[in-house]
Amino acid sequence: MSHAPRFGIWAAVHGSRASHHDPDEPDDASWDRNRALVLEAEALGFDAVLVAQHTANPYDDARDQLEAWTACAALAALTRRIEIIAAIKPGLYHPVVLAKMALQIEHIAGGRFALNLVNAWNRAEFERAGLPFPAHDDRYAYGAEWISLVDRLMRGERVTHAGPHFQVTDYQLRPAGSFQPRPTIYLGGESEPARALAASQADVWFINGQPLDDVAALIADVARRPAANAPLRYGLSAFVIARDTDAEAEDEHARLLALADRDAALRADTRARTDAASVMFAKTDAAASRHVGTNGGTAAGLVGSYDTVAARIRAFHAAGIELFMLQFQPFEAEMRRFAERVLPLIR
């Protein structure tokens, strides 16, 4: 890898990442908590924050949910160094409107803004609002047309387009190109349509947490494809449990697994509202007995002593991962532990 590893955090947009029953972790998705969390992450040396987009809490709609794009605009004004990555579901925004919002937040942030394209898995978020929720591959076809328009609009091109989903005539957005040709485009998803879209449109492909050999195979598959924005870079989601010894880390993992068992009803309800074709959830179901956290969580294996976790991160980096997007619980305390005890072993 020619790029040094970078480290980001998942914002607490719907509270805890591992269990909603942890007495040490407030199930708090408030703006106040997220503002403090991101400002501290920046001060600790983290490089990025990912703000996942949901209109209602995807696990329990009686719980709070932070709105991604308005929060990112506020974070852009408050921070000075950290990259702000806002997730976006194309079915919720017209590409002209979204491209303009992205350019505005980029200007507020002084160029430190990126978007993460996700093609959605929560049917209820769309269907309850009367919005269409096409089949999996059709969502990716829609997303491909959508992101191609957003890309051109964010570059400041004058766009005329007639396609199966969008008709745009003589549209140009300003200001554009003030910091870079356009904001960075991240893309998540591991299905075949997702891989194809990553190669054709993205700058960075996000991979869900999973063992090193599986990650290396995914990277090898996508790296073989012609990339429109070569060289395509890679990010990995992971939940970290680091302690003085491997045994202490495994004990904490077991504690969180036991707490997560109490969320079984929430998980079942979420699964009932999930697109069955979602690769992320298919893998999650298969690994449910051995990991905690979302988007693969501890399946990436970042559980162990400080030296063990650092060594595993170096191995993922050697395989091609540049950005590690990390989860913790309790978030603030474990984020500090990682910054103080693991980062110095890597940097």
Side-chain angles (χ1 to χ4, degrees):
M1 279 289 296
S2 58
H3 294 279
R6 301 171 64 231
F7 298 92
I9 64 162
W10 287 72
V13 297
H14 44 61
S16 63
R17 286 281 169 185
S19 169
H20 295 285
H21 292 90
D22 189 345
D24 297 326
E25 171 77 321
D27 203 7
D28 181 1
S30 68
W31 160 246
D32 287 343
R33 184 199 184 184
N34 278 279
R35 174 184 59 197
L37 178 64
V38 175
L39 288 172
E40 183 174 12
E42 183 175 59
L44 288 170
F46 286 89
D47 302 293
V49 56
L50 175 60
V51 186
Q53 183 188 47
H54 303 282
T55 49
N57 189 300
Y59 305 106
D60 179 1
D61 61 12
R63 299 171 187 258
D64 286 350
Q65 174 67 44
L66 188 76
E67 200 289 308
W69 281 67
T70 50
C72 283
L75 290 170
L78 291 170
T79 55
R80 294 292 175 266
R81 183 189 57 79
I82 200 166
E83 181 185 26
I84 299 164
I85 308 170
I88 178 62
K89 298 169 184 173
L92 296 178
Y93 290 95
H94 191 282
V96 168
V97 175
L98 191 283
K100 180 59 180 174
M101 291 168 62
L103 289 172
Q104 186 63 66
I105 299 176
E106 181 191 40
H107 271 255
I108 296 169
R112 296 176 292 110
F113 181 69
L115 59 88
N116 176 36
L117 177 66
V118 292
N119 277 288
W121 51 264
N122 185 1
R123 293 195 318 271
E125 182 176 21
F126 288 76
E127 293 175 349
R128 291 177 183 176
L131 296 170
F133 189 75
H136 179 275
D137 290 4
D138 292 335
R139 292 200 305 280
Y140 273 93
Y142 180 97
E145 184 179 351
W146 186 95
I147 194 61
S148 69
L149 277 169
V150 169
D151 186 318
R152 296 173 61 196
L153 288 160
M154 292 194 304
R155 293 178 188 275
E157 295 181 19
R158 186 173 295 279
V159 174
T160 294
H161 170 88
H165 304 104
F166 301 106
Q167 290 74 46
V168 177
T169 304
D170 197 30
Y171 228 108
Q172 186 176 44
L173 300 179
R174 287 291 186 271
S178 301
F179 305 96
Q180 54 191 334
R182 56 143 173 77
T184 301
I185 296 174
Y186 292 78
L187 188 135
E190 295 169 19
S191 64
E192 175 55 34
R195 300 183 200 194
L197 188 56
S200 65
Q201 296 285 353
D203 302 297
V204 185
W205 184 37
F206 266 140
I207 300 169
N208 288 314
Q210 51 203 288
L212 176 61
D213 288 348
D214 294 347
V215 169
L218 287 169
I219 290 174
D221 175 77
V222 173
R224 285 193 291 266
R225 307 173 189 230
N229 301 305
L232 185 66
R233 292 170 285 144
Y234 303 93
L236 180 73
S237 176
F239 191 106
V240 177
I241 303 174
R243 292 292 186 274
D244 287 320
T245 68
D246 289 341
E248 289 176 288
E250 291 297 344
D251 286 346
E252 175 61 9
H253 192 195
R255 183 187 79 90
L256 290 174
L257 282 167
L259 286 170
D261 286 342
R262 298 172 62 185
D263 294 329
L266 281 178
R267 289 200 305 272
D269 183 59
T270 301
R271 194 67 183 89
R273 294 181 279 103
T274 297
D275 178 12
S278 169
V279 171
M280 176 182 75
F281 277 87
K283 288 186 175 181
T284 297
D285 287 349
S289 63
R290 60 184 177 88
H291 88 272
V292 295
T294 67
N295 296 79
T298 53
L302 300 190
V303 177
S305 70
Y306 305 124
D307 287 334
T308 294
V309 171
R312 288 173 181 167
I313 287 171
R314 285 192 290 269
F316 276 114
H317 182 244
I321 297 298
E322 175 188 337
L323 176 60
F324 294 83
M325 194 58 64
L326 303 178
Q327 303 172 11
F328 307 95
Q329 188 162 321
F331 208 113
E332 288 84 349
E334 294 302 313
M335 176 178 72
R336 292 176 202 126
R337 184 196 299 270
F338 182 86
E340 293 166 2
R341 303 300 301 271
V342 179
L343 279 183
L345 300 175
I346 300 167
R347 289 177 168 166

